[in-house]
Amino acid sequence: MTFSEILDRVGSMGPFQFLHVAILSIPIFNMANHNLLQIFTATTPDHHCRPPPNASAGPWVLPVGPDGNPERCLRFVHLPNASLPNDTQRATEPCLDGWVYNSTRDTIVTEWDLVCNSNKMKEMAQSIFMAGILIGGLVLGDLSDRFGRRPILTSSYLLLAVSGSGAAFSPSLPVYIVFRFLCGFGISGITLSTVILNVEWVPTRMRAIMTTATGYCYTFGQFILPGLAYAIPQWRWLQLTVSIPFFVFFLSSWWTPESIRWLVLSGKSSKALQILRRVAAFNGKKEEGQRLTLEELKHNLQKELSLAKAKYSASDLFRTPILRRVTFCLSMAWFATGFAYYSLAMGVEEFGVNLYILQIIFGGVDVPAKFITIVSLSYVGRHITQAASLLLAGGAILALTLVPLDMQTLRTVLAVFGKGCLSSSFSCLFLYTSELFPTVIRSLRGKEPKQEPEAEKASQMIPLQPYGPGLGSS
């Protein structure tokens, strides 16, 4: 008997499974808000130098740049006894008294003057947030193996709630960046634990469907952010609004049961049996659950999970020529996809179109892109789908660099098409990577126990898409 057969005895698609998947999926709606939050909290409005305090009342003349527009980072040197100049011959100086912003929206850019020489600090804040996701994946992945999936999920919810709320009250940019790093760290823990706990309690035949449905929660979550940003123009209140719900998710996660496989491998078989019996009772199969015994559970699951005890290291990825090639090619694909995806997603304001509408369009293109990918993966194959999505995305981005800035409609169409292709690439990479690596790594071992058929099938069943483009790529 395998775990899937045990799951059938206690109810593989009963009320418990639907409630369990719903509790894990609802927070995914809000994860898109954090990933893309700086699109709205860090917009850069039109701005110009603030006049000196001792400047006389009246119109303040600004230098004109090469493009014919007023300079954003320079002003004329103020001479108290001189008349206001109407030419560009007078000496200029930086904006020593700050800037005037032509916007009703309050952002971190307007609050901490992240313009001109400080404009790179905005990108640094987002980069450090992504670094938090990367480091969180490395650290929390190991901790979840030691302490369990549910403790990591619960603590990650709390970390994201606290750090996200803390960012809303940050007194300075360095403090804000630290809190954003912790937000990324928590998001990584949520993603890792959600993937495992989501597929743990559903039968193999339903894992792709359930994982795809959960992944679409992230896609539709992208529609929520523009509405919230439009209704809440203050960045601190917007940051707080997307963070508070995770306190609720922290409380609801206590209902989520621990991974049965992890409990058995950790020597907590009695607790695993208690959980299985509670699930059976919840699904209306209490008597069937009571028939399960501790000896039966330990004997059958230990046989299925014998391969899980094997320890692998990063060196296994480079041990043979074919595996080195696979590792190199997939790493390049992950890097190219993640780099290009977030370059487009975070550069929405550069296309000169209404920020709120364009973000909805950017989020909406993921819906057909992921559906087309699923169909293509089934009928065309992984290799062609992956290559086509990368080639089309690359072509769109290259074309985008050649289109003049004044052709905003064409630039927007190319950007939306490119983002859709990159979303398709993400979906394919998750499946392709998971299928290519396990088999090759297992073949490196000389004497390895034969894997049970059901375990082999389970190891090949992967999410058809990430819960957040880029999360897996980190």
Side-chain angles (χ1 to χ4, degrees):
M1 183 184 296
T2 63
F3 180 73
S4 294
E5 292 172 314
I6 293 177
L7 191 60
D8 286 334
R9 289 180 59 181
V10 301
S12 58
M13 282 303 296
F16 166 82
Q17 277 74 20
F18 288 102
L19 182 59
H20 176 71
V21 172
I23 290 176
L24 292 175
S25 300
I26 291 175
I28 305 300
F29 277 103
N30 217 31
M31 282 178 57
N33 295 338
H34 276 279
N35 274 351
L36 305 175
L37 188 60
Q38 278 200 197
I39 292 177
F40 298 100
T41 62
T43 54
T44 303
D46 290 333
H47 54 278
H48 58 80
C49 291
R50 187 182 301 277
N54 57 350
S56 59
W60 177 254
V61 179
L62 295 170
V64 178
D67 57 355
N69 296 318
E71 282 281 1
R72 293 184 171 191
C73 302
L74 294 174
R75 71 182 185 185
F76 287 117
V77 175
H78 177 63
L79 299 176
N81 297 325
S83 59
L84 291 173
N86 290 316
D87 55 52
T88 60
Q89 302 303 314
R90 193 170 172 183
T92 58
E93 64 182 2
C95 302
L96 302 178
D97 298 290
W99 289 262
V100 175
Y101 297 96
N102 302 325
S103 175
T104 58
R105 186 166 193 89
D106 174 35
T107 69
I108 65 172
V109 173
T110 61
E111 179 162 341
W112 292 314
D113 289 333
L114 305 183
V115 293
C116 298
N117 291 335
S118 300
N119 64 339
K120 297 301 180 183
M121 298 302 295
K122 180 179 76 170
E123 283 78 11
M124 179 181 290
Q126 180 65 20
S127 296
I128 292 178
F129 168 77
M130 299 303 296
I133 295 178
L134 170 62
I135 297 175
L138 298 174
V139 174
L140 295 178
D142 181 64
L143 291 180
S144 66
D145 290 336
R146 295 185 181 184
F147 303 107
R149 286 48 166 137
R150 196 186 78 169
I152 297 301
L153 178 66
T154 301
S155 59
S156 296
Y157 281 145
L158 182 60
L159 176 61
L160 184 55
V162 172
S163 57
S165 301
F169 295 98
S170 299
S172 63
L173 180 62
V175 176
Y176 170 82
I177 290 177
V178 170
F179 278 123
R180 285 288 287 168
F181 173 85
L182 294 175
C183 286
F185 197 91
I187 284 177
S188 193
I190 293 171
T191 304
L192 291 170
S193 301
T194 299
V195 169
I196 296 173
L197 293 174
N198 188 19
V199 302
E200 172 90 6
W201 287 101
V202 295
T204 303
R205 66 182 183 277
M206 294 296 295
R207 285 177 182 173
I209 297 175
M210 287 298 184
T211 303
T212 302
T214 303
Y216 265 115
C217 290
Y218 180 91
T219 298
F220 290 117
Q222 297 181 70
F223 301 143
I224 300 175
L225 182 58
L228 288 176
Y230 184 81
I232 308 173
Q234 296 81 19
W235 77 267
R236 292 183 182 273
W237 283 107
L238 179 59
Q239 175 77 47
L240 189 63
T241 299
V242 301
S243 301
I244 289 296
F246 284 94
F247 284 108
V248 179
F249 302 147
F250 163 72
L251 297 176
S252 66
S253 66
W254 289 96
W255 184 87
T256 304
E258 181 56 90
S259 164
I260 297 298
R261 289 184 171 93
W262 182 86
L263 288 172
V264 173
L265 283 177
S266 302
K268 301 179 180 180
S269 301
S270 58
K271 187 174 182 180
L273 182 60
Q274 294 176 5
I275 292 176
L276 285 171
R277 287 175 174 173
R278 286 202 300 268
V279 170
F282 197 92
N283 285 338
K285 295 187 175 183
K286 185 176 181 179
E287 294 182 359
E288 192 67 33
Q290 294 298 327
R291 294 194 187 100
L292 285 175
T293 63
L294 189 61
E295 292 73 17
E296 179 184 20
L297 180 65
K298 292 172 64 175
H299 174 73
N300 292 300
L301 283 186
Q302 286 291 354
K303 185 185 299 182
E304 182 184 284
L305 297 172
S306 58
L307 286 179
K309 295 181 179 180
K311 300 296 182 182
Y312 300 104
S313 65
S315 62
D316 290 315
L317 299 176
F318 305 95
R319 189 170 296 176
T320 65
I322 187 172
L323 195 51
R324 284 195 295 270
R325 186 182 67 184
V326 169
T327 301
F328 175 77
C329 292
L330 287 179
S331 297
M332 293 296 292
W334 274 112
F335 177 81
T337 303
F339 186 85
Y341 184 96
Y342 273 97
S343 295
L344 290 176
M346 300 306 298
V348 172
E349 64 176 316
E350 298 177 4
F351 294 100
V353 184
N354 184 285
L355 191 61
Y356 306 97
I357 296 177
L358 187 55
Q359 177 55 34
I360 292 176
I361 296 174
F362 263 39
V365 73
D366 286 0
V367 177
K370 291 177 179 178
F371 177 77
I372 293 172
T373 303
I374 294 173
V375 175
S376 179
L377 287 171
S378 301
Y379 294 97
V380 179
R382 280 73 159 140
H383 194 180
I384 296 178
T385 302
Q386 182 65 69
S389 61
L390 286 174
L391 286 173
L392 291 173
I397 294 173
L398 286 175
L400 183 62
T401 62
L402 302 176
V403 177
L405 295 177
D406 56 345
M407 300 181 66
Q408 296 179 352
T409 302
L410 180 57
R411 287 174 56 82
T412 301
V413 170
L414 288 173
V416 171
F417 178 76
K419 182 176 180 291
C421 293
L422 291 168
S423 177
S424 174
S425 178
F426 264 126
S427 301
C428 186
L429 274 173
F430 263 77
L431 180 61
Y432 211 9
T433 302
S434 301
E435 285 183 335
L436 287 179
F437 276 132
T439 301
V440 178
I441 292 178
R442 283 198 300 268
S443 68
L444 296 175
R445 299 175 57 93
K447 295 182 178 180
E448 183 168 331
K450 180 177 177 60
Q451 190 169 5
E452 294 292 323
E454 187 67 23
E456 175 68 24
K457 188 190 299 182
S459 70
Q460 299 293 337
M461 182 56 65
I462 3 278
L464 290 183
Q465 62 181 50
Y467 295 151
L471 297 185
S473 64
S474 296

